[in-house]
Each structure stands twice: as structure tokens, then as C-alpha cells.
Amino acid sequence: METTDDLARLRAALAQCALVNLTGGLGTGKSRLAARLPVSARLEPGEACDPTVLRGLVAGPDGLLLIDGVDGPGQAEALAASLHEACPPRPVLLVSRLPLRAAAGWAETGPATVTVGPRPPAAVEAQARAAGVTDPQGLALVVRLAGGVPLLAELACRALHSGIAPDAPGAVADLMAGEVLERLGRERPGRRWRHALRLLATVRAGDEHLVAGGPALFSTLAGLSVVRRERLGLAVREPYRSLFELAYQWRRPKAHAQVRTRAADYRGLLLAGHTAGPEERAGLVEQGLFLSGDPLLRSTLFPPAEDGSRIGPARPEEAPDVERLMHRWAVRGGFDVRRSQAITERWLADGPSSFRLARDRDGRPVGLAALVPVGAGTEGGIEPLLQQHTAALGAGGRPGLFLGAAYGADPVTHAQILRDILVSAVHAGHLVVSTASPDYQALLRTLTFRPHGGIRDDVYRCGRRPEVYSHDFSPARLPGWMRALAPPPVGSPYGGQDAAALVAWALARIGDPVALSASPLLSCPEFESPDALRGWLRCAVLDLADAESRADAEAGAILQAYYLGRDRTHHQVARRLHLSRATYFRRLRRGLALVAARLPG
């Protein structure tokens, strides 16, 4: 499954450098690619680590020397010393899962590095068809579980040929995971780390608290080629992470759910600790969204494939790339291209600084997000997509960011762009979104963004008016948001979620029956439909506003004004009710708690 481009890059590197390191994840086809070359001699890594053996081979005939599988404990370091002593004049190709430059002793040797990456879905599907998998469901499963890795595609095909039905992905993943773990065994001896790897895959990223077992086990996991170090701990690389988690969920579904719930609780405590900076808060939010387990969030934000792009601000010379990608965004969304181009030109009027670009490994822009800072200077570019909501959410509202467009050339890049938008929103504190895409609208509702309704005009001439949403990403609001999205303990009322948070979520969507239909409160038999829940919430708020207690009545008045009245910000409601900011939010929390206390059951 190697590509012509991979082979050309490898040959070019060998023509220019006597020492070349061919690297890539487990099963990406490195050995098969190396076999396409005219190799005159081959050594096992253990043999090559012996300078005497290596010197003897170097003295032999000219030609390419291949050392494949430099992945065992200490092998990279020992091989560096051996090569330094032997000083081979002939070309040497070293094959490893991790770049040898990451190991000690390779700074002076400095091999040229050629990386083999994942294959596109079309190549994986062709591999599956060649292996005899032809039914659509089976092909889709192979592509999904392989994540572009030829070995995983082969293992998935073998699992299907063994008789496992394609509608049992957990069983297929379990068979595949067993083979992958055996192959990882040459990197680290023993078996104790195998279960810890399943737990780490379930939580996506974990520190020593989440990966129980002590520092030694943590360090063992860190040494595996499928594990990388991130801001919040260790993380299993995709698509191996998805594979291990799916297999674990199939084997022990209850334990899998408990691991995810404990991890979400722990991340929530860190988020509420008020010691995390913006970068760590953004990471904890990303982890919380992953741990929610929501199918839409998982499939949209966390596809089972390794990230392949780097995201950063657009540079002045990249304005043509912005226009090209915005054109593709318009075509994909079914928008009128000329109208979309006019909006793009308005956003680009002061340069492309309001755009963030995703660039592939070769530096080519392959995705973007239009993130405009909210303020008086940007009102002209924002107003056409906010219209009647501009005063409340535009320049007259709180500072933050306005999202006007998001595009990725493929699902993995698209997911990276969306996660980067959320990271930027955590830094900015507030995000306003205007979108005519039904898919984005469903995602925003799942993320519990507050809907403000549609705008007056069909600005993109696509038969759909954009809808406006907003969300508060301030540090004080993040813990409650994560609790509302957290996975529920098994068998707990209302899915184990905080009742006050569920009331707030439902009140924010009281005018949107479609969104309200996703409320866990509907699990109560008394609420037969979203309309029944909506009627109950209205009555509960109005009754609270008529309470004899002044504090309770103020709490009810806040809920009535903010959730049942016209679209307003918290600041506007507090000012109208003549309440200080501190008193306002105390009363708001009190009102939500009192309404939650009235819930049936």
C-alpha cells in the first residue's frame, strides 16, 4: 500500500544522504516500502547494535544496508554508538516507528528522515476490496477502523473473513487490538502495561492520577510508539486509540463507562480549581467534550485518525489561499458564490488576520476559520450575519469572537479546525456564531450554545436564513458547562447530571422544540413531550417570580427576563433589575436550583 510519492521521497533521500531513517506509525507500510529498494544486505537491530558485527558487514560488498525494526528498548541508543564506531561508508537505511533523532546519541549522526503517513480512505477501500471485502457495510467498517493504516485495514478484513459481522465493530476491534498489542510487545517487555493502555485510550489523555499504577508504569506507557506526551499527560495516537477503546468498551462496557465518568469528574475538578491558565483550561474543555461520549461530538470533533495539520493565523501573503478556501466553503455549503465572495472581501479588507489557517505537513493551506474579534471596529463585517442581533451580540455586547465560517478539506482537518475554534473561544471568553448549515446548528445545540433565532435575510441565497448562537466561555462558567455535558453515572436520575444545569440548558432552548427534545429531563414520565416540558418550565419560572420571599422573587424575575423575555445579556438584565453583578449571579443560581428542586421524581 505504499505510494509512488513515498518511494520517490525515499530514493531521493538515499541519493543525497548515506544514512536515512524511514519512520512511521506501527503498520503504516515501512517494511513493505523498504522491500521495494535493491537491498544488498540486511541486519536485525540486535545484530547491528554489535559494532563487531556491523564492521564486518560494512567491509563487504557495496550496496544498501537495511536495518529494520529499530524499536526495542535501548536499541536506538545502542545503534547510534555502533554506527559511530563502525563509520559505514555504504548507504544505510534504518526503519523505526519513532524518529531516531528523538533518541539519545543521534544528534551528531543526523540521519535524513523520511516519514510514512496514513493512506487516504480511497486507498484503504481499494485494499479492502482486493482482500475480498465488497459489501458496503464491511467496507465502511474497514475504512473507519483502519484510520489510513494498511496493517489495521488488513486486520479488519481478516476479522470480517473470520465470520464477525460488520454490525459488531467492537468484536472486530477486539480481534485487531490483540494483534496490535502483540506487535507493540517488542517495544516494551511484559504485559502489565496492556490494560493501562486500554484505560489511557478510553480517557484520551491522562496524567499519573488517571493512569494508576505508579511512575514506572506511566514511564513505560510513555515509551510506546503509539503514545505521545501532551499538555495534560500521555495520549494514545489515532487510530490506535479508537481501536483500543472500542475493544475495551466491547469487553467491559460497564467498566468503560465508569472509567470515562471518573475521568470527567477529575477534569471537572481541575477546571474548577481556578489555578489553570487559558491553555490548560482549553485543554480541559477539549477533554471534557471528548469524555462526554456524545456520538455527534465524538464523530465531528474527534475522528479516529491522526491529526495531520498545523493551525495558526493567516499571513498577509496567504490572502489568495483564504479566498480559495472560502470559495470551497461556499460551494460545499450550497451558498451563492458571489454573495459569499462579497462577505469574504469585507473580512479581508484589513488583511487576513481574522482568519486561522490549517496547513498540511507540506505547509499548504487546507482549512480555515473566520474568527473576527467582536468590537466597534468590526461591526461592519459582522452586522450582515447578525442583523437584528447585532446590538446585543455585536459591538454593543461583551468582547469575544465572532465565527462566520469554518472549512476543512477532509473530516480530520475539519475536526482540527473546530477544536481550534473552541480553544480560541476559551481564550477570548465568549463566542458568537452565525451559520446557515443544519449540521453546524445541530452541533451547536449539542454543545448547549444559546440560540438567538434566525436573522431577517437569506444572505447566502441558499434557501436557509443563518441562525445565531452564542456561548459564554468565561472561567467561571466552564465548570458548570462541563458538568452539563459530562457522561452520566449508570442508573442515576436524569442521567446523573446536575438538575440545575439541566434546567438552565432547557430554559435556554425553551423556544426551540427540536433542541429541547434532547433534554435528559424528558426521561421523567410526567414530561410526555418537549411541549409539556416547556409548559412546566414556564409555569415554574412564573410561580417563582410571584414568590413571597424577596430573594426568591428576584431569582424568578431574573429567570423570566433572561430566558422567557426578549434576547438580552446578563449585564442588561442585571442593569434593568438594578442588581449588582455579584447579587445577580447569586440570584440566578438560586432560581435555577429552586426550579430544579420542583422537578418531578
Side-chain angles (χ1 to χ4, degrees):
M1 292 300 295
E2 71 278 355
T3 67
T4 304
D5 183 56
D6 288 334
L7 188 59
R9 289 189 299 116
L10 182 56
R11 283 174 170 161
L14 286 167
Q16 297 174 9
C17 185
L19 194 62
V20 175
N21 177 207
L22 179 61
T23 184
L26 184 154
T28 49
K30 303 179 297 297
S31 297
R32 187 175 299 179
L33 181 60
R36 296 283 301 276
L37 298 172
V39 175
S40 64
R42 176 173 181 150
L43 274 181
E44 293 297 322
E47 298 174 306
C49 291
D50 185 339
T52 303
V53 175
L54 188 58
R55 275 197 304 269
L57 194 59
V58 166
D62 293 337
L64 180 64
L65 171 60
L66 173 64
I67 305 173
D68 194 356
V70 187
D71 302 308
Q75 283 185 348
E77 294 80 0
L79 184 56
S82 180
L83 285 169
H84 181 72
E85 184 175 335
C87 298
R90 66 195 297 180
V92 179
L93 177 61
L94 306 145
V95 181
S96 61
R97 293 170 185 169
L98 291 175
L100 292 177
R101 285 178 176 268
W106 288 92
E108 295 182 4
T109 308
T113 301
V114 176
T115 303
V116 178
R119 303 290 180 260
V124 174
E125 182 175 335
Q127 179 185 353
R129 289 185 181 277
V133 176
T134 56
D135 67 287
Q137 191 176 7
L139 287 171
L141 181 63
V142 171
V143 172
R144 171 191 161 198
L145 294 182
V149 177
L151 171 65
L152 298 187
E154 177 188 338
L155 295 177
C157 292
R158 284 165 47 188
L160 292 174
H161 285 312
S162 74
I164 303 176
D167 61 358
V172 175
D174 184 64
L175 192 106
M176 297 169 63
E179 175 71 18
V180 173
L181 289 171
E182 288 299 321
R183 292 182 179 235
L184 286 173
R186 82 180 189 205
E187 299 180 18
R188 289 293 181 270
R191 305 180 69 88
R192 182 167 173 249
W193 53 266
R194 298 190 179 196
H195 180 59
L197 188 63
R198 296 196 301 177
L199 300 183
L200 180 60
T202 297
V203 301
R204 188 168 182 262
D207 53 20
E208 279 194 20
H209 177 84
L210 288 177
V211 185
L217 180 60
F218 191 81
S219 297
T220 298
L221 289 177
L224 292 169
S225 63
V226 296
V227 175
R228 64 170 178 261
R229 299 172 189 265
E230 293 188 346
R231 178 178 295 275
L232 298 180
L234 303 179
V236 183
R237 300 176 187 273
E238 293 288 1
Y240 314 99
R241 189 215 64 77
S242 294
L243 185 70
F244 294 142
E245 185 191 8
L246 185 58
Y248 182 46
Q249 186 178 17
W250 178 75
R251 284 198 173 204
R252 302 186 63 187
K254 185 175 181 180
H256 169 268
Q258 291 171 341
V259 168
R260 195 158 47 87
T261 300
R262 285 198 299 268
D265 290 343
Y266 173 63
R267 294 306 191 191
L269 289 174
L270 293 179
L271 193 59
H274 305 296
T275 58
E279 290 291 342
E280 188 176 358
R281 284 200 302 272
L284 291 169
V285 165
E286 189 173 314
Q287 281 296 102
L289 296 176
F290 172 84
L291 291 167
S292 72
D294 183 274
L296 180 60
L297 297 186
R298 280 288 186 95
S299 62
T300 306
L301 299 178
F302 306 99
E306 185 77 357
D307 294 342
S309 302
R310 293 181 178 272
I311 301 177
R315 298 184 287 266
E317 65 272 17
E318 293 176 316
D321 294 303
V322 170
E323 293 178 335
R324 172 177 56 84
L325 292 171
M326 285 295 292
H327 177 83
R328 293 183 180 180
W329 166 78
V331 172
R332 176 179 290 182
F335 305 148
D336 182 88
V337 173
R338 286 180 296 180
R339 294 299 299 268
S340 302
Q341 183 179 359
I343 292 174
T344 301
E345 290 173 352
R346 186 173 301 180
W347 289 339
L348 281 171
D350 297 323
S353 59
S354 294
F355 290 87
R356 290 181 63 79
L357 291 184
R359 303 174 182 89
D360 65 14
R361 290 183 173 90
D362 296 322
R364 296 171 297 197
V366 291
L368 60 68
L371 278 173
V372 183
V374 174
T378 61
E379 191 174 36
I382 292 175
E383 192 278 335
L385 295 177
L386 290 183
Q387 296 188 1
Q388 71 268 29
H389 305 290
T390 304
L393 298 173
R398 59 179 299 173
L401 294 173
F402 168 78
L403 173 64
Y407 169 81
D410 56 78
V412 179
T413 303
H414 188 223
Q416 280 187 265
I417 287 285
L418 294 179
R419 296 201 306 271
D420 184 74
I421 291 168
L422 293 172
V423 168
S424 299
V426 171
H427 282 265
H430 195 251
L431 180 65
V432 178
V433 183
S434 177
T435 176
S437 166
D439 291 339
Y440 282 147
Q441 291 164 5
L443 179 63
L444 292 168
R445 288 194 293 267
T446 302
L447 288 169
T448 72
F449 273 58
R450 184 184 182 194
H452 298 276
I455 64 175
R456 290 186 294 266
D457 301 325
D458 176 8
V459 295
Y460 293 118
R461 299 294 187 266
C462 63
R464 305 182 304 273
R465 294 181 302 162
E467 294 183 3
V468 179
Y469 297 79
S470 70
H471 193 76
D472 185 351
F473 285 88
S474 63
R477 297 296 296 275
L478 292 179
W481 182 44
M482 288 294 97
R483 285 195 299 272
L485 293 174
V490 179
S492 55
Y494 299 123
Q497 300 181 56
D498 180 70
L502 293 179
V503 167
W505 189 94
L507 283 171
R509 289 147 190 81
I510 199 165
D512 186 348
V514 176
L516 200 60
S517 64
S519 172
L521 296 178
L522 289 172
S523 62
C524 176
E526 187 164 324
F527 303 136
E528 298 178 351
S529 65
D531 284 339
L533 175 58
R534 180 167 55 180
W536 185 92
L537 288 169
R538 286 184 180 276
C539 290
V541 168
L542 295 176
D543 287 348
L544 186 61
D546 289 335
E548 295 182 3
S549 166
R550 178 180 176 182
D552 290 356
E554 284 182 348
I558 289 172
L559 298 184
Q560 182 178 1
Y562 184 69
Y563 291 111
L564 305 185
R566 292 180 300 170
D567 291 329
R568 291 188 177 89
T569 65
H570 287 299
H571 174 73
Q572 290 171 325
V573 175
R575 185 171 58 185
R576 187 169 70 82
L577 297 178
H578 306 291
L579 297 173
S580 68
R581 179 179 176 85
T583 300
Y584 173 85
F585 282 107
R586 281 201 305 271
R587 295 288 189 267
L588 175 64
R589 290 191 293 270
R590 180 188 184 95
L592 293 172
L594 289 171
V595 172
R598 300 185 182 191
L599 286 168

